[in-house]
Amino acid sequence: MITNISDGIGQAAHFLKLGQAVAIPTETVYGLAANIYNESAIRSIFELKQRPLNNPLIVHIHSFDQLNEIAVNIPEVAYQLARKFWPGPLTLILEKQQDISDLITANKPTVGIRMPNHPLTLELLKSLDFPLAAPSANPFKRISPTNPERVFEYFENKLSFILDGGECQSGIESTIVGFREGNPVIYRLGALAKEKIEEITGTIEIANTENKAPVAPGMLDKHYSPRTELIVTENIEQEVHKNRGRKIGLLSFHPLPSQENVVLQKFLTENSDLEEAAHNLYEYLQELDESNLDVIIAEFIQEKGLGDSINDRLKRASHK
Ligand code: TXA
Ligand code: MG
């Protein structure tokens, strides 16, 4: 198979209707999409990603009608969040409608749903008479791709089609909110800052990430990882000193004075802009990862707004 890469929505729809998996752009990261009502198409997503079947997929929709087709007993606060933030980087975990496949939900009674905010993918969804299940378009545990070239590197010619929507704007995955007895809980920090959600919900709890059987496997300790050893620190100079003698790459939020042994430095943002930092995070990690380094040393950012979400990804990426 040779992978087609283009912005042709008609072509993407063609392959999806045939029951094939297609890579789609979203505002967060690229997804690997298939028709939610086609079991073998859904199964092929798990196979392509080598993802364990106990890790459920997010269903992508374009309308509130589709929401009601997929979920039941939707709490009022979920509607409030959806009306405020959709289309956008928020996934809601809701009670599923009976006919939603157990493969998508990993046998859970709930289903993850979001309305992505990317013009091409919204248009694609509108042209189809089925929603799309789509995990991030990376092999299990690897870094999520934020441009079509990275998707192609991961899957080469195992995919029929990559819908080219350019670089993803946000650059990290959606924030996931579930409900316990009707009360909202954050299952995964992400591209929608916790503070924004709290404007609607009031103070919100973050589900315990130490949990051995995490509610959302995106909360597994190790995730989003480069292959090169990654150290995350509050004190980059000290860590560089400790690692002297090794080939070091740096991922920081501010330019640092050049240091011995540091062969490559990437600054996530020029002017302390957290959105810019999130946008660059995965692509810079990928670039560092392919630069033949002995170690990547990254710096924690202030825990505020998207800073929380960025630190969360850095912790998981560096987990041994
Ligand atoms: O931004 C995103 O959310 C991207 C784009 C493509 O939309 N998608 C994404 O999907 O990150 P994925 O599969 O890589 O991560 C989805 C997370 C997983 O951690 C999964 O366990 C969780 O959502 N999830 C899905 N359904 C769930 C459910 N019913 N209950 C709990 N967690 C669920
Ligand atoms: Mg993922």
Side-chain angles (χ1 to χ4, degrees):
M1 190 191 298
I2 302 238
T3 309
N4 285 288
I5 308 180
S6 97
D7 60 3
I9 290 168
Q11 271 180 287
H14 166 78
F15 288 111
L16 288 164
K17 286 177 195 161
L18 287 177
Q20 298 191 20
V22 158
I24 56 166
T26 82
E27 80 280 34
T28 59
V29 300
Y30 272 73
L32 207 51
N35 176 356
I36 65 162
Y37 298 118
N38 183 325
E39 287 275 315
S40 73
I42 300 296
R43 204 170 282 280
S44 74
I45 291 181
F46 283 94
E47 280 161 13
L48 277 163
K49 277 183 66 90
Q50 298 180 309
R51 174 164 169 140
L53 291 170
N54 68 1
N55 196 343
L57 309 182
I58 295 173
V59 173
H60 292 66
I61 60 173
H62 69 82
S63 70
F64 281 78
D65 284 346
Q66 285 188 320
L67 173 64
N68 295 312
E69 194 186 299
I70 291 159
V72 292
N73 298 327
I74 301 172
E76 180 49 34
V77 57
Y79 276 118
Q80 285 172 351
L81 288 167
R83 277 196 296 265
K84 173 92 182 174
F85 297 115
W86 282 357
L90 170 71
T91 295
L92 296 172
I93 306 295
L94 299 168
E95 204 177 309
K96 72 164 198 158
Q97 191 79 252
Q98 258 183 354
D99 58 355
I100 300 302
S101 158
D102 288 334
L103 207 51
I104 292 174
T105 65
N107 291 314
K108 288 175 193 288
T110 52
V111 58
I113 306 177
R114 86 178 191 98
M115 194 184 291
N117 191 14
H118 190 288
L120 279 188
T121 290
L122 279 175
E123 213 181 310
L124 172 67
L125 284 164
K126 282 179 196 159
S127 78
L128 298 168
D129 57 7
F130 48 82
L132 295 172
S136 52
N138 51 282
F140 187 52
K141 293 200 172 181
R142 301 288 302 281
I143 300 169
S144 302
T146 57
N147 58 58
E149 294 77 23
R150 292 289 177 198
V151 178
F152 183 74
E153 278 174 26
Y154 277 144
F155 299 103
E156 298 204 323
N157 291 315
K158 293 192 200 104
L159 270 179
S160 307
F161 194 75
I162 298 174
L163 182 60
D164 183 353
E167 264 183 43
C168 301
Q169 200 182 357
S170 303
I172 59 175
E173 298 82 352
S174 61
T175 303
I176 302 182
V177 173
F179 300 88
R180 285 187 191 147
E181 281 135 34
N183 300 316
V185 178
I186 292 185
Y187 287 164
R188 177 177 74 182
L189 291 165
L192 181 63
K194 175 171 168 271
E195 287 84 346
K196 292 246 176 88
I197 294 171
E198 288 181 327
E199 284 170 17
I200 305 252
T201 61
T203 305
I204 190 167
E205 189 192 331
I206 302 179
N208 178 10
T209 55
E210 302 302 309
N211 197 332
K212 284 278 185 299
V215 226
M219 307 190 71
L220 287 172
D221 288 343
K222 187 173 177 72
H223 223 96
Y224 319 106
S225 312
R227 291 184 157 167
T228 312
E229 181 188 351
L230 171 67
I231 296 171
V232 193
T233 175
E234 308 274 352
N235 187 336
I236 223 162
E237 274 95 349
Q238 190 184 339
E239 211 52 58
V240 168
H241 184 69
K242 272 202 238 162
N243 283 275
R244 63 193 177 278
R246 305 178 78 191
K247 268 203 297 187
I248 300 173
L250 293 187
L251 183 66
S252 68
F253 293 94
H254 312 282
L256 298 163
S258 69
Q259 306 185 51
E260 225 188 315
N261 296 337
V262 173
V263 291
L264 181 60
Q265 295 197 28
K266 301 292 282 181
F267 313 123
L268 285 167
T269 162
E270 295 287 328
N271 37 31
S272 306
D273 177 342
L274 290 174
E275 286 184 8
E276 187 187 6
H279 171 86
N280 290 327
L281 180 68
Y282 287 159
E283 184 54 29
Y284 286 6
L285 265 179
Q286 298 264 30
E287 286 173 26
L288 286 159
D289 198 23
E290 60 199 18
S291 298
N292 284 314
L293 302 164
D294 295 325
V295 62
I296 301 168
I297 300 175
E299 176 182 38
F300 280 119
I301 195 170
Q302 66 197 52
E303 298 251 325
K304 230 187 181 182
L306 286 182
D308 271 329
S309 307
I310 293 170
N311 286 342
D312 171 86
R313 296 302 188 274
L314 286 173
K315 277 181 215 156
R316 289 175 211 288
S318 65
H319 195 271
K320 294 210 175 67

